[in-house]
Amino acid sequence: MSANTNGQSETDAPLKRPADDLPPSWPSGSNDAKRPRLDDDESKDVSHPYFDDEYNEESDDDWDQAASDGMEDASDEELLHHALRLDREDPQHHHDSDQERENDDDEDQVDDIILPWQSFTEEETQAILDDARAIGMMKFMEKYLIERKEPVARLLEAFGLALPPRVILGTPAVELAHVLRTLVNRFLRKRLRLENVNTLEDVAGLMRDARKIMIVTGAGVSVSCGIPDFRSETGIYSRLQEFQLDDPQQMFDIDYFRETPEIFYSFAKELYPSNYEPSPSHMFVKCVEEKGKLLRNYTQNIDTLEHKTGIKNVVNCHGSFATASCVTCGYKCDGKDIEQYIFSQTVPPCPKCAQQKAEEPPKPAPAAPSNFDGDDEDDDDAFDPPRGVSIMKPDITFFGEKLPDEFDRLLAIDTEQVDLLIVMGSSLKVSPVSDIMTQIPHRVPQILINRTPITHMTFDVQLLGNSDDIVPELCRMLGWDLRHPKLPGGSALSPESMALGSGTPASAEGTTSTPALAPLPGAHVPAPGKIWSFVQDGLYVFPGAVLDARLFDAQR
């Protein structure tokens, strides 16, 4: 890693707390002159290319603290109440008034019990919190619960939740551990930004010096390929009425698939990878790998375009179309073996189950009913399994299914090696990929490339816009020859592409430079020909960025 002005490595860079007047995860460290401000009238009606009322991506509401993850943002009292199910009455525990008074007396006696440990001191508590930041959630849980065998309730105190003795003694440790995990996860999401990572130049420098880059990719890197998204107004999830579904997630629910597999196979061809080619963003990940810098690409996508690009160090977190398995016997085959069924929108049967059925001895023919007229034909050899049985399913991880084992195994290894995290085209709202951020030590620089901002987690720099526009700019700064037909001149280093980063118009005949962006309120005006606009330390906007005026109101 490169050294900073204090002689520290990038990974040892000091942390800084967000400013008091900003949301906890809003990039800080800039002076007031750099922070955009909107007047009351402006906040109601902002006309700017980045404010798109019709845009409806998965992460639209990330800026809104009220729209984050349920109990993750609940108060400690609500969290405990929910986790321990204190709001549910148990009919087996109804007592008359005398019995209730006796129980109250017992509870008073329990509250008088002195627990066999003392609370952590302030210094010990701070050391525990710093350790959580340094090693991540899972390693923290292993270290303190398994290795050190610390009482769960004592650790809860360190994270601000002190329980009465009667709750501690009356609650199974596994449930208290669930509460602890949620508290630690919530704590680690509000990471402190690194003080020396603020600009686009800092990002390029980190990429130049890094040796173990972890890249997490989501649907945003495949949208330009023509693959439909899920949550936009025209996305897959918008077709509830067409499929007569109550919940969009039923499209990928394993139980629902077993009942009505026809639903999935009616739209599966729209997602099938043979229809699409990799984007510049996919080629960027491949470029990082060719430079010997890619630790691992964790992708949420099921389109297998990473494989088509030739990326080797990739984990398909949610599975893919690359293979398929029988839901009954587990028979596995290459994804291409069921391709014809996907394109004909029919449900593929399992060939192994069919073969086993054919090899079974024929069953005795049932006695003919008295009114049998001989016209019906009973074909005992036909393979007609019950619905949801002996059918093939692409090895996509449906809701209700366990993620591939390699995800947890490799993540545990990679979190000890990673020296730079880049998240591309994902709002990090779907678990367990969203939990990656809480597993990585806070000293590791973290960069976001996405159309919309993320505020339920803290990144050092957010580059907002189309990833296909952002990654060529980074490659131009690094001198990396990223190639793709969609790039001007076919390469990030072509004269046409270099003109976009230099601020001068392209001179090649028949080419045009990208027009200068309209400035955001309070943002620095970009130089002519630049494709990005600097807003403040840790925040840049590129073409395709989608913000909301209320995001800026929150900074006042």
Side-chain angles (χ1 to χ4, degrees):
M1 302 300 293
S2 62
N4 60 23
T5 56
N6 296 323
Q8 297 170 300
S9 69
E10 293 289 353
T11 55
D12 294 330
L15 302 172
K16 58 187 175 185
R17 295 187 179 277
D20 293 338
D21 61 338
L22 301 182
S25 58
W26 181 257
S28 61
S30 59
N31 57 41
D32 290 339
K34 294 179 182 178
R35 292 179 185 165
R37 292 288 188 267
L38 296 180
D39 295 332
D40 290 340
D41 292 338
E42 291 177 315
S43 66
K44 296 177 182 177
D45 184 17
V46 178
S47 178
H48 192 277
Y50 303 127
F51 300 109
D52 186 350
D53 293 335
E54 296 182 358
Y55 186 70
N56 185 29
E57 196 183 47
E58 176 182 1
S59 54
D60 274 354
D61 293 332
D62 279 344
W63 59 269
D64 188 349
Q65 291 298 315
S68 42
D69 310 73
M71 296 310 298
E72 291 290 339
D73 294 321
S75 67
D76 291 342
E77 181 179 355
E78 292 171 332
L79 176 64
L80 179 63
H81 201 266
H82 174 78
L84 303 185
R85 299 172 175 84
L86 300 179
D87 55 343
R88 300 183 185 180
E89 284 192 355
D90 187 346
Q92 297 180 353
H93 288 78
H94 286 174
H95 305 283
D96 58 25
S97 58
D98 292 338
Q99 182 66 43
E100 290 174 353
R101 283 195 296 270
E102 182 179 339
N103 289 343
D104 291 339
D105 292 339
D106 292 340
E107 290 179 359
D108 291 339
Q109 293 177 8
V110 171
D111 288 337
D112 291 337
I113 293 177
I114 298 177
L115 297 172
W117 66 78
Q118 292 182 341
S119 299
F120 293 110
T121 65
E122 290 185 8
E123 293 77 11
E124 290 172 333
T125 297
Q126 188 59 51
I128 289 173
L129 299 181
D130 291 341
D131 204 17
R133 295 189 182 102
I135 63 178
M137 182 177 65
M138 291 309 298
K139 289 183 173 60
F140 175 86
M141 301 288 280
E142 292 174 2
K143 177 178 179 179
Y144 284 86
L145 294 182
I146 299 176
E147 297 175 11
R148 294 191 177 183
K149 302 187 187 307
E150 288 284 358
V152 181
R154 193 182 187 209
L155 290 171
L156 286 172
E157 285 188 22
F159 287 88
L161 183 58
L163 302 179
R166 65 181 181 86
V167 174
I168 297 174
L169 297 179
T171 305
V174 65
E175 294 205 26
L176 291 179
H178 173 73
V179 178
L180 176 63
R181 180 189 175 102
T182 304
L183 283 178
V184 175
N185 187 65
R186 185 171 66 180
F187 170 77
L188 291 178
R189 283 190 172 191
K190 297 305 181 182
R191 170 180 171 269
L192 307 179
R193 289 184 58 234
L194 301 178
E195 288 186 347
N196 62 334
V197 182
N198 298 292
T199 66
L200 199 58
E201 290 75 13
D202 292 336
V203 176
L206 289 169
M207 292 183 60
R208 180 189 64 241
D209 298 331
R211 293 294 179 266
K212 302 288 185 179
I213 302 177
M214 181 187 295
I215 300 180
V216 178
T217 51
V221 302
S222 296
V223 170
S224 66
C225 306
I227 297 177
D229 62 2
F230 291 88
R231 292 171 172 82
S232 72
E233 292 182 355
T234 58
I236 295 295
Y237 283 173
S238 67
R239 300 161 62 180
L240 291 179
Q241 293 183 346
E242 178 181 343
F243 302 125
Q244 297 181 341
L245 301 176
D246 299 323
D247 185 336
Q249 292 187 353
Q250 288 177 326
M251 293 180 175
F252 293 95
D253 182 274
I254 186 59
D255 293 330
Y256 201 82
F257 176 84
R258 291 178 182 275
E259 294 176 5
T260 54
E262 299 84 2
I263 296 294
F264 172 79
Y265 282 105
S266 66
F267 65 81
K269 69 175 184 179
E270 300 178 35
L271 304 174
Y272 195 69
S274 68
N275 293 335
Y276 308 104
E277 295 297 325
S279 68
S281 297
H282 292 105
M283 298 307 299
F284 169 76
V285 179
K286 179 60 177 176
C287 183
V288 173
E289 185 173 55
E290 290 176 342
K291 298 292 181 182
K293 295 175 177 289
L294 182 66
L295 173 61
R296 200 91 57 196
N297 175 200
Y298 288 84
T299 179
Q300 296 174 278
N301 299 332
I302 60 176
D303 50 41
T304 67
L305 288 178
E306 293 81 12
H307 300 273
K308 200 168 187 176
T309 307
I311 301 170
K312 296 180 175 59
N313 293 329
V314 60
V315 176
N316 294 98
C317 303
H318 297 159
S320 71
F321 281 96
T323 57
S325 301
C326 174
V327 299
T328 301
C329 72
Y331 168 77
K332 186 180 290 287
C333 68
D334 191 281
K336 291 186 178 180
D337 292 346
I338 65 169
E339 186 175 284
Q340 59 176 324
Y341 295 96
I342 290 176
F343 283 106
S344 64
Q345 297 178 293
T346 56
V347 180
C350 172
K352 183 177 180 180
C353 288
Q355 181 180 0
Q356 291 177 342
K357 176 66 175 178
E359 294 174 352
E360 291 180 357
K363 296 180 180 180
S370 57
N371 61 347
F372 181 64
D373 58 10
D375 294 335
D376 292 338
E377 182 177 346
D378 185 12
D379 186 1
D380 290 336
D381 295 330
F383 180 57
D384 186 20
R387 292 181 59 81
V389 176
S390 299
I391 58 176
M392 301 298 293
K393 180 184 80 67
D395 289 332
I396 299 166
T397 305
F398 277 45
F399 293 107
E401 289 187 303
K402 185 179 181 296
L403 260 68
D405 292 335
E406 66 173 353
F407 175 83
D408 291 326
R409 179 178 62 83
L410 292 175
L411 184 61
I413 298 173
D414 292 346
T415 52
E416 295 182 350
Q417 304 180 48
V418 59
D419 57 11
L420 176 62
L421 171 68
I422 299 176
V423 176
M424 298 174 56
S426 174
S427 65
L428 294 178
K429 282 193 169 183
V430 179
S431 180
V433 175
S434 61
D435 295 335
I436 288 179
M437 297 284 289
T438 66
Q439 310 291 351
I440 295 177
H442 282 194
R443 66 178 182 276
V444 176
Q446 302 184 10
I447 311 301
L448 174 70
I449 298 174
N450 199 42
R451 289 194 69 184
T452 54
I454 290 179
T455 61
H456 64 281
M457 299 178 182
T458 308
F459 289 87
D460 297 300
V461 177
Q462 298 199 38
L463 307 177
L464 305 182
N466 299 319
S467 61
D468 287 351
D469 292 315
I470 297 173
V471 295
E473 178 73 357
L474 292 172
C475 289
R476 286 190 285 268
M477 298 175 70
L478 290 164
W480 294 359
D481 191 14
L482 175 67
R483 293 180 175 272
H484 194 278
K486 291 183 178 180
L487 298 180
S491 166
L493 299 183
S494 69
E496 300 90 335
S497 289
M498 293 298 292
L500 299 180
S502 65
T504 58
S507 57
E509 183 177 355
T511 63
T512 58
S513 60
T514 299
L517 300 175
L520 282 165
H524 291 187
V525 178
K530 287 282 188 180
I531 67 168
W532 50 261
S533 177
F534 170 78
V535 179
Q536 67 175 49
D537 283 352
L539 180 60
Y540 289 74
V541 290
F542 288 73
V546 178
L547 305 179
D548 190 293
R550 289 169 290 179
L551 176 66
F552 294 94
D553 288 340
Q555 300 177 77
R556 292 181 173 178

